Amino acid sequence: MKQRQLSWPGCRANCWLIALLATLTVAEALPFLFTHLRPQINWTQLETQPWVVEEQPRSIEPHLELVPHPNRTKISASDASDAEFLQRLANQTATSRMLWNDAGGGDGLVYPPFVDRALRLLNLKQVAFEVENSLMSQVTCTACRAGAGMIQHQIQSGKTDADLIQMITDYCTNLNIQTARVCQGVAQLFGTELIYVLKRVNLSPDELCSFVIGDGCADVYNPYHEWEVIFPPVPKPPRLADLPIPMEAAPFFKVLHISDTHYDPHYAEGSNAECNEPLCCRLSSGRPATPNAAAGKWGDYRKCDTPKRTVDHMLAHIAETHKDIDYILWTGDLPPHDVWNQTKEENLAILKETVQQMVEKFPGVPIFPALGNHESAPVNSFPPPYVNQVDISISWLYDELDIQWRRWLPQSVTHTVRRGAFYSVLVRPGFRIISMNMNYCNNKNWWLLLNSTDPATELQWFIYELQSAEFSNEKVHVIGHIPPGHSDCLKVWSRNFYKIIARYESTITAQFYGHTHYDEFEMFYDPHDLNHPNSVAYIGPSVSPYYDLNPGYRIYYVDGDHDSTTRLVIDHESWIMNLKEANLYGYPIWYKLYTARAAYNMKALRPSDWNNLLNELTNNQELFELYYKYYWKNSPARPTCDAECKKRLICDCKSGRSHDRKHFCAEVESKIDQESSKSWKSWFYRGLTNSSEERTGDTATDGDNPFDLVIVNVGG
């Protein structure tokens, strides 16, 4: 069963590096078994730029001008001025924004005792499968530890960077882990960065792999990567027993959500879609061995990204079908998955081209973007601001993002975008959107090994924005790329984010992410009361079919400007294109796959309603199968889903805090195990009963039970 297979494509090259470094351990006869002294590096006191959150400019003027849409069936917005509306919306005079400050505030390389098992457990094919499918077991953990220990040993023994990179390339090629050009690209792009970081950290292989892999590799305590955000001394508003249901027939915003475009400028129809590389369907992929191996005109279910004609057709369809869009959420991942040979120049060119596409197709429509993990080169590489050397600084990307995003965003965002690619914009009176750079929670971002403590001060800034919003009676929507509960999100970062969501649950009314490529959601609960759901994260489907998926996008209906507005999502629709039929008939047709409330019989889309749905998905197999169909965007290539698959999917929905499934999933897993056991026992018992009756001639089978057919054939 392929599960969560799309969560790691961006980090696949990083993880190959771990896997092939593990093979070096075997080849070099594990020389790092012996104790080697490590120099003590004081990397915790990093020199940082002075940056005061409270001094940064804020967006305080409404950015979105309402446009009347007479064809809408619901009533239009009020004719009252923004000032009058805001005054009615506020229950009391807004308090001035508060500024606060924090009032309080082994010398040897001793390798863990797993190495005796390394030769028996080190199965590179299994490691590759687990890395690709984000199903980490002890085998991948062992490989990671062995690889990390090996490269640390080579660094300490005086190998040059060039020697290390060449060694990685040779082993990757000779062991056929990937093609020669992929091996060389991975070693050059990722090896240089990894070596740079490992030279500057004082972490054991256990600590390194626990950091990168998470709960799949034990939970090794590391005080250098344990930290807490600081909350202002302001009491949390009393929470409601449940949120009110948005009013029917009230004004609303129609919102488009596009994510994970992965536009491939080198896609070639008819090229090889079954190549032996991470990305196929290019002229460089070679000729297809059979007609069935040829890349389709509009895309392909195999490891291929989105051709330009498909992106153009989708945007034209949206512009024609949804003429009344009020604003757009664009949650990142623009470049393709050729992660072994990307350059900064090529990624910037894709950024500029896709921005221009959006400008031309949606003139005058505000767009609120978020940064994906693929925008950098190499992928997942996002050095925090204290890494300011010209050759490794991330300013090449953030400065260009500011230029491109300013087509839609106000000038007040410039400072935070250039610092960390995050921003806050007041969309309407009482309504704000905050865009987070989730790459600072990305545990495949090697730079966080140097210091993971609130990179770029993003979370502390986030708290300040939310506290200011709370004082001003604003509701907030949060957007980003990597969902905070996903296994790609660093545990300590996710834990702090989870606390922030809980503290400001009365302010944050929705979250929106991408990254997984699937159509799904994540739940958040009060950390002190897991029976109280306090937020929901909507994870939008990918435009890219990578892989085994249909292209798709989302439409949300958000509670609009009126006196009783909740700013909750009222409903959402998922739209897809059937890629198989598009390639078969030569023309794509985009259609609405489902509407959330109608499909799942939900009276509203509050956190409590989504929590109720989770309980129903656990107990109702027919409903779960419907969810599974929509999760895969009705792809004909989707695999079957057994009990383990069901547990993973429902647990993914329930876990808004990463690497902490034991707190959220035990009850769900127990229920599914019980149902699975009952189902199997019932099936087996019926089979035996029917078999016995058939043999004694008491009754005849009707052929409905597959087990009956087997018995009849054997007996006959």
Side-chain angles (χ1 to χ4, degrees), residues 2 5 300-302 545-550 632 635 637-638:
K2 291 186 294 184
Q5 62 199 42
D300 205 282
Y301 288 118
R302 289 158 289 195
Y546 193 101
Y547 59 93
D548 287 344
L549 294 166
N550 283 317
W632 278 88
S635 169
R638 67 182 182 272

Side-chain angles (χ1 to χ4, degrees), residues 334-640:
L334 312 181
H337 287 91
D338 58 336
V339 296
W340 71 92
N341 69 345
Q342 289 179 335
T343 65
K344 296 175 182 178
E345 293 74 20
E346 185 176 40
N347 280 16
L348 288 179
I350 289 175
L351 168 66
K352 295 174 184 177
E353 184 173 352
T354 51
V355 165
Q356 188 59 36
Q357 282 179 307
M358 298 293 282
V359 169
E360 292 174 357
K361 294 297 182 182
F362 305 104
V365 178
I367 299 178
F368 300 99
L371 181 63
N373 62 303
H374 274 264
E375 271 78 301
S376 185
V379 67
N380 299 315
S381 176
F382 295 88
Y386 59 75
V387 182
N388 54 17
Q389 295 94 316
V390 174
D391 57 333
I392 55 178
S393 167
I394 196 65
S395 61
W396 66 272
L397 176 59
Y398 291 177
D399 290 353
E400 187 61 39
L401 286 178
D402 180 48
I403 294 171
Q404 298 300 323
W405 289 359
R406 283 284 304 283
R407 295 170 182 253
W408 307 295
L409 303 179
Q411 185 176 357
S412 60
V413 308
T414 290
H415 192 80
T416 55
V417 170
R418 288 182 178 253
R419 174 179 172 80
F422 48 84
Y423 62 86
S424 172
V425 173
L426 185 67
V427 181
R428 294 292 300 149
F431 179 41
R432 181 174 295 274
I433 287 178
I434 297 180
S435 178
M436 301 294 289
N437 182 356
M438 303 302 289
N439 292 294
Y440 291 135
C441 90
N442 186 350
N443 52 17
K444 311 310 173 297
N445 182 5
W446 300 110
W447 297 102
L448 300 186
L449 285 166
L450 294 172
N451 189 344
S452 67
T453 304
D454 193 11
T457 329
E458 181 180 23
L459 288 183
Q460 209 62 56
W461 166 86
F462 186 41
I463 290 173
Y464 178 72
E465 285 291 324
L466 291 171
Q467 188 60 63
S468 299
E470 182 179 279
F471 283 146
S472 301
N473 297 293
E474 296 170 357
K475 300 300 183 184
V476 171
H477 284 184
V478 179
I479 68 173
H481 181 66
I482 300 174
H486 194 274
S487 60
D488 285 349
C489 189
L490 192 63
K491 181 177 181 178
V492 64
W493 198 99
S494 178
R495 185 183 67 219
N496 278 283
F497 186 87
Y498 204 83
K499 290 180 181 178
I500 296 172
I501 298 299
R503 165 59 185 84
Y504 296 100
E505 65 174 280
S506 62
T507 298
I508 299 169
T509 57
Q511 303 176 59
F512 306 87
Y513 303 96
H515 186 61
T516 71
H517 291 206
Y518 296 105
D519 189 302
E520 51 183 327
F521 65 97
E522 269 183 6
M523 290 300 304
F524 291 73
Y525 300 87
D526 187 322
H528 305 294
D529 180 9
L530 295 183
N531 292 317
H532 173 64
N534 58 26
S535 188
V536 60
Y538 298 94
I539 303 175
S542 64
V543 174
S544 174
Y546 193 101
Y547 59 93
D548 287 344
L549 294 166
N550 283 317
Y553 65 88
R554 275 251 187 97
I555 295 289
Y556 299 97
Y557 298 93
V558 174
D559 205 2
D561 284 357
H562 59 93
D563 292 352
S564 302
T565 184
T566 63
R567 303 298 185 188
L568 291 169
V569 173
I570 302 169
D571 208 349
H572 76 66
E573 305 167 350
S574 286
W575 291 65
I576 67 166
M577 177 255 281
N578 187 310
L579 186 57
K580 179 179 180 180
E581 292 182 356
N583 286 331
L584 182 63
Y585 300 115
Y587 189 80
I589 297 177
W590 298 85
Y591 67 95
K592 181 166 60 178
L593 178 62
Y594 76 99
T595 301
R597 286 175 62 183
Y600 301 128
N601 194 26
M602 302 170 74
K603 62 181 180 181
L605 299 188
R606 301 166 298 176
S608 59
D609 299 305
W610 285 107
N611 186 59
N612 291 338
L613 175 64
L614 269 183
N615 294 330
E616 292 184 43
L617 291 176
T618 304
N619 301 320
N620 186 332
Q621 182 61 25
E622 184 177 353
L623 184 65
F624 173 78
E625 289 173 358
L626 182 67
Y627 172 78
Y628 185 67
K629 170 185 173 181
Y630 297 153
Y631 173 89
W632 278 88
K633 294 180 281 184
N634 199 24
S635 169
R638 67 182 182 272
T640 56

Side-chain angles (χ1 to χ4, degrees), residues 644-662:
E644 290 302 313
C645 155
K646 182 177 180 179
K647 286 191 290 187
R648 281 194 295 270
L649 259 65
I650 295 180
C651 206
D652 288 340
C653 294
K654 204 168 180 66
S655 305
R657 188 168 64 200
S658 69
H659 305 288
D660 209 1
R661 300 169 84 90
K662 62 184 179 182

Side-chain angles (χ1 to χ4, degrees), residues 72-124:
R72 285 186 176 171
T73 57
K74 297 188 178 182
I75 63 174
S76 60
S78 169
D79 293 331
S81 68
D82 290 347
E84 291 172 342
F85 166 67
L86 189 59
Q87 184 61 39
R88 294 198 310 272
L89 194 65
N91 295 324
Q92 59 184 9
T93 303
T95 310
S96 59
R97 295 189 181 91
M98 181 196 69
L99 307 183
W100 65 86
N101 296 293
D102 182 18
D107 294 338
L109 174 59
V110 181
Y111 213 71
F114 74 92
V115 184
D116 289 339
R117 305 194 305 273
L119 292 175
R120 298 193 302 272
L121 295 178
L122 213 53
N123 182 334
L124 290 181

Side-chain angles (χ1 to χ4, degrees), residues 181-356:
R181 65 172 184 164
V182 171
C183 289
Q184 185 176 8
V186 168
Q188 289 290 341
L189 279 174
F190 298 89
T192 302
E193 181 178 292
L194 179 61
I195 293 166
Y196 179 94
V197 171
L198 290 183
K199 283 182 175 180
R200 289 161 174 81
V201 299
N202 190 24
L203 300 175
S204 69
D206 277 352
E207 293 167 331
L208 285 168
C209 294
S210 179
F211 182 94
V212 173
I213 294 178
D215 54 3
C217 202
D219 188 9
V220 179
Y221 176 73
N222 184 344
Y224 292 122
H225 292 290
E226 289 294 331
W227 48 274
E228 303 286 344
V229 292
I230 303 168
F231 289 95
V234 179
K236 177 180 176 179
R239 81 182 192 195
L240 300 174
D242 202 354
L243 296 175
I245 295 177
M247 292 174 54
E248 294 292 338
F252 64 89
F253 297 133
K254 186 173 182 180
V255 182
L256 168 65
H257 184 187
I258 294 177
S259 195
D260 296 87
T261 311
H262 292 292
Y263 155 55
D264 187 0
H266 303 294
Y267 185 98
E269 178 186 357
S271 60
N272 186 13
E274 297 179 350
C275 70
N276 190 30
E277 292 183 338
L279 184 66
C280 305
C281 296
R282 295 173 153 198
L283 291 177
S284 58
S285 303
R287 293 178 178 273
T290 65
N292 287 335
K297 177 179 180 179
W298 297 97
D300 205 282
Y301 288 118
R302 289 158 289 195
K303 292 186 179 181
C304 306
D305 272 320
T306 319
K308 186 177 187 301
R309 62 163 60 96
T310 302
V311 177
D312 289 341
H313 193 277
M314 180 193 71
L315 296 180
H317 148 77
I318 294 172
E320 178 63 27
T321 306
H322 307 286
K323 296 180 179 180
D324 55 344
I325 289 172
D326 290 298
Y327 62 88
I328 299 171
L329 305 178
W330 194 19
T331 52
D333 266 12
L334 312 181
H337 287 91
D338 58 336
V339 296
W340 71 92
N341 69 345
Q342 289 179 335
T343 65
K344 296 175 182 178
E345 293 74 20
E346 185 176 40
N347 280 16
L348 288 179
I350 289 175
L351 168 66
K352 295 174 184 177
E353 184 173 352
T354 51
V355 165
Q356 188 59 36

